[in-house]
């Protein structure tokens, strides 16, 4: 894929973004506020997922391993 096709594809994606969200009818300053709020919300979701999802997955695994007959941590420590 050459540079021109990539640039046209990215322009097409941006145009689709404008059409789907309906911000093509907004004024430039309204677009910038909308985009800032949207991308800030997306950044917060990504950061929260990065920080908190692994903790919850580990806790869920510990919970379900205890229910389905996993050995408690104290037993595992004595075996080593």
């Amino acid at each position: 894929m050459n540079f021109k096709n990539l640039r046209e594809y990215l322009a097409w994606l941006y145009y689709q973004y404008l059409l789907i969200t309906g911000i093509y009818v907004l004024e430039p300053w309204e677009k910038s506020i909308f985009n800032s709020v949207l991308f800030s919300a997306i950044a917060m979701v990504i950061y929260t997922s990065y920080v908190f999802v692994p903790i919850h997955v580990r806790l869920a695994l510990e919970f379900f391993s205890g229910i389905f007959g996993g050995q408690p941590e104290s037993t595992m420590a004595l075996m080593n």
Side-chain angles (χ1 to χ4, degrees), residues 5-44:
N5 288 340
L6 178 64
R7 191 177 64 162
E8 289 176 358
Y9 179 68
L10 291 176
W12 179 80
L13 283 177
Y14 180 68
Y15 182 68
Q16 292 297 314
Y17 164 72
L18 292 177
L19 289 176
I20 290 171
T21 57
I23 61 174
Y24 64 93
V25 297
L26 300 176
E27 294 183 16
W29 67 272
E30 293 172 327
K31 283 182 187 180
S32 64
I33 290 174
F34 179 83
N35 288 331
S36 299
V37 169
L38 178 68
F39 292 129
S40 297
I42 290 172
M44 286 187 276

Side-chain angles (χ1 to χ4, degrees), residues 55-70:
I55 295 169
H56 290 295
V57 169
R58 182 182 55 82
L59 291 174
L61 288 174
E62 289 177 7
F63 175 75
F64 287 117
S65 68
I67 289 177
F68 296 118

Side-chain angles (χ1 to χ4, degrees), residues 46-61:
I46 290 171
Y47 173 76
T48 303
S49 299
Y50 176 75
V51 170
F52 293 110
V53 168
I55 295 169
H56 290 295
V57 169
R58 182 182 55 82
L59 291 174
L61 288 174

